[in-house]
Amino acid sequence: GYVSNFIVDDNEDIIFSSETYHTIEKWSKGSSGSVVLIGIKKLAAGVDRLDTTELNRPLDFHFDSNNNTIVLDYHTRILKFKPGSTKGTIIAGLGFPQYNYYLLSGMAFPQSFDLDPNDNMYIADYGNHRILRWDYLATAPVFVYPTAKDAEDGNYSKFSPYNILPNHMFFDKDNNDIWWYKPQGNSG
């Protein structure tokens, strides 16, 4: 199946997201196969957007400082799974695309995210041409780039953030550029 992201842990086990099977899985070193950690292994998508036990094409995932698994899936939502849990909690997004730059709670096909040392999320909101910062335990994000002023000036549709990279950088898929942003919300 198609693997969209993977992490090698301290035990040299590989944890990966399978877009094909709609799961987060673990392949332990020396084993002959993987074990499903999150999701229900199946080929058909058709997942209820409010069902937090199933994933729809998990695009990206990370572990926060409490070892929770944070998952971005194709339903335009980010879920948090506590260690050992198969039922998540939606912590960002509405579960359906929102093409509205000014609607902060909604996102349109975010493609990736990253966590900073304080577990704040930086989200590449591809469909709305913006980077959002969703602070730990916050109920809504804030603009990072472009700023609200850029949007008022009509400068927000000039790029399409796709992959969040380390050190506050992102890949602009439509323009084949790499941009840098300041985490406090100012463009650089």
Side-chain angles (χ1 to χ4, degrees):
Y2 180 75
V3 173
S4 55
N5 190 14
F6 72 93
I7 296 171
V8 179
D9 68 13
D10 293 339
N11 298 320
E12 298 182 3
D13 298 333
I14 300 170
I15 302 162
F16 62 93
S17 55
S18 171
E19 283 192 48
T20 306
Y21 296 112
H22 310 282
T23 56
I24 304 292
E25 300 183 36
K26 180 178 184 176
W27 195 307
S28 296
K29 184 179 178 179
S31 70
S32 61
S34 62
V35 174
V36 173
L37 300 176
I38 299 170
I40 299 169
K41 198 168 195 170
K42 60 183 184 174
L43 287 172
V47 174
D48 178 350
R49 296 175 195 277
L50 299 177
D51 183 348
T52 60
T53 60
E54 295 187 62
L55 300 174
N56 182 11
R57 292 182 52 206
L59 301 168
D60 199 4
F61 73 96
H62 296 276
F63 294 102
D64 69 11
S65 61
N66 296 311
N67 209 30
N68 297 308
T69 306
I70 312 297
V71 181
L72 165 66
D73 80 357
Y74 197 69
H75 274 320
T76 310
R77 63 186 183 173
I78 298 177
L79 302 107
K80 176 172 71 174
F81 293 85
K82 294 185 177 185
S85 176
T86 58
K87 184 170 180 64
T89 303
I90 298 173
I91 59 171
L94 300 174
F96 53 91
Q98 290 290 302
Y99 291 101
N100 184 334
Y101 185 85
Y102 293 100
L103 179 65
L104 282 174
S105 59
M107 299 178 286
F109 300 107
Q111 297 298 308
S112 67
F113 73 99
D114 198 14
L115 295 174
D116 71 14
N118 297 316
D119 290 335
N120 301 316
M121 291 184 291
Y122 292 84
I123 305 165
D125 188 4
Y126 178 75
N128 284 319
H129 309 282
R130 63 187 180 182
I131 301 287
L132 298 174
R133 185 184 75 228
W134 205 298
D135 292 338
Y136 182 68
L137 299 179
T139 57
V142 295
F143 287 104
V144 172
Y145 187 79
T147 64
K149 174 79 171 103
D150 290 329
E152 289 171 10
D153 295 342
N155 295 328
Y156 68 93
S157 63
K158 294 181 180 177
F159 71 98
S160 300
Y162 198 76
N163 290 89
I164 297 284
L165 305 169
N167 300 318
H168 305 292
M169 298 168 65
F170 66 89
F171 175 65
D172 177 349
K173 180 180 180 183
D174 293 346
N175 297 303
N176 290 322
D177 285 332
I178 293 179
W179 292 65
W180 172 82
Y181 61 91
K182 294 179 184 176
Q184 271 57 44
N186 302 315
S187 59

